[in-house]
Amino acid sequence: MKIATVTLNPAIDQTVQVDHFRPNTVNYAMSMLFDAGGKGINVASFLADAGLTPAVTGFLGQENADTFERFFASKRIEDQFVRIPGRTRIGVKIVDEANQQTTDINMPGLPPTTEAMHDLYQAIERLAASCDWFVLSGTLPPGVPVTTYASLITLLKQHGKQVVLDTSREALYEGLQAGPTIVKPNVDELRQLTGQALSDDLALEQAARQLLDRGIQLVVISMGERGALFVDSATTLLAIPPRVMVKSTVGAGDAMVAGLLAGHARGLSLPDCARLATAFSLGAITRIGSHLPAPDVMQSYFQQVSINAITSTNTPAGVPRSVSL
Ligand SMILES: Nc1ncnc2c1ncn2[C@@H]1O[C@H](COP(=O)(O)OP(=O)(O)OP(=O)(O)O)[C@@H](O)[C@H]1O
Ligand SMILES: [Mg+2]
């Protein structure tokens, strides 16, 4: 199973470690790193650590593409990015390990030209010859239509491809109309989408079920440290992570998408895919940068995830009932 990830608005992550970070004063950093970032690139990086050889595409500013090129080479990731004039944006992440907090400063990104958009569609058509799954992740760059993911999903479905969509706001709303195979909103993204408070698991599950009605096969709602709900037509599973020492929550959701697909590539059942997806997220948040820890650590995370089947039908007062598997 070959996977391609699409990142239209990547960023170089500048991670600055500052314990007890405070605004409006001078802070002293302990270390600083520049990493190739962007959600689809993170997904590809986690997949590469799991032994898969993903391809990546999207747009890269040609003036600082070398950071990405070195990274792709080091991870044996197939680089099919379209180069555009200018510099890829830098996103600053201030990681405060002492307070277990991360502060992000994001920039809008480079607008691609019409010609670059054309090159992107060509790159994706080319990748469709060898890849079975496509991951469309992250925000859209300025200047591209909000329906871009919807158009890509429609094109990929015409080629018989499976698509994971992980984005927010209008791009998510529009993309869902085209019926991706899997969608992974977090709770905020689902709230924005539905306009509802979604204050308990039952409400979240029902919102996910409504998405399934549109031909989407699996909805994964990630809920930060509370874990994630995996909802398909037959089941709802709640995957609960163990407590861990968080280094940086950057890429937790991207790791979840990667783990889900890695599980699918290995032919795992939905409960084991949910377990592996959560283990990937744990791997991501206990390290800085989009890398998984060593296999023995991953194995131990996998075993520490608890999977509960939620039965929300036929229960008195509609209260979800948890059953340990
Ligand atoms: N503090 C934490 N402790 C344990 N597990 C966590 C924690 N934060 C996140 N996770 C795991 O990572 C998964 C994805 O995290 P989250 O819901 O924050 O994704 P997200 O908001 O999409 O993140 P991203 O910023 O990557 O888009 C969660 O479902 C959970 O399994
Ligand atoms: Mg996310």
Side-chain angles (χ1 to χ4, degrees), residues 59 82-85 111-123:
F59 299 115
V82 173
R83 294 338 188 235
I84 58 175
T113 59
T114 314
E115 194 195 346
M117 279 301 272
H118 176 77
D119 292 348
L120 174 81
Y121 276 84
Q122 279 197 327

Side-chain angles (χ1 to χ4, degrees), residues 87-148:
R87 298 174 70 80
T88 298
R89 65 192 174 139
I90 293 179
V92 182
K93 325 230 168 250
I94 300 158
V95 175
D96 178 347
E97 262 187 65
N99 288 326
Q100 296 263 294
Q101 285 173 345
T102 305
T103 307
D104 281 39
I105 303 167
N106 288 346
M107 277 150 242
L110 280 178
T113 59
T114 314
E115 194 195 346
M117 279 301 272
H118 176 77
D119 292 348
L120 174 81
Y121 276 84
Q122 279 197 327
I124 289 180
E125 294 249 9
R126 244 190 345 265
L127 282 166
S130 59
C131 299
D132 315 289
W133 279 86
F134 284 76
V135 179
L136 310 181
S137 296
T139 55
L140 295 171
V144 312
V146 286
T147 50
T148 300

Side-chain angles (χ1 to χ4, degrees), residues 11-15 33-38 67-68 71 288-291:
I12 293 175
D13 292 332
Q14 180 181 22
T15 306
L33 275 173
F34 283 107
D35 285 305
T67 301
F68 293 93
F71 180 71
I288 284 182
S290 52
H291 311 287

Side-chain angles (χ1 to χ4, degrees), residues 14 17 24 27 59 84 91 94 98 105 141 175 177 194 228 234 244 285 299 306 314-315:
Q14 180 181 22
Q17 269 188 287
N24 207 29
N27 290 271
F59 299 115
I84 58 175
I94 300 158
I105 303 167
Q177 313 305 313
T194 59
V244 288
I285 66 177
Q299 183 61 33
S306 89
N314 305 328
T315 47

Side-chain angles (χ1 to χ4, degrees), residues 39 42 46 93 100 104 166 184-189 220-230 239-246 248-257 274 277-286 305:
K39 294 186 146 309
N42 295 341
F46 294 122
K93 325 230 168 250
Q100 296 263 294
D104 281 39
D166 180 10
K184 196 222 69 63
N186 62 26
V187 176
D188 281 345
E189 288 157 355
V220 180
I221 306 171
S222 64
M223 311 181 293
E225 65 186 354
R226 291 189 50 230
L229 285 169
F230 292 74
I240 306 169
R243 277 193 165 277
V244 288
M245 266 299 283
V246 179
S248 157
T249 54
V250 175
D254 308 329
M256 180 150 265
V257 169
T278 306
F280 269 51
S281 288
L282 288 163
I285 66 177
T286 49
V305 178

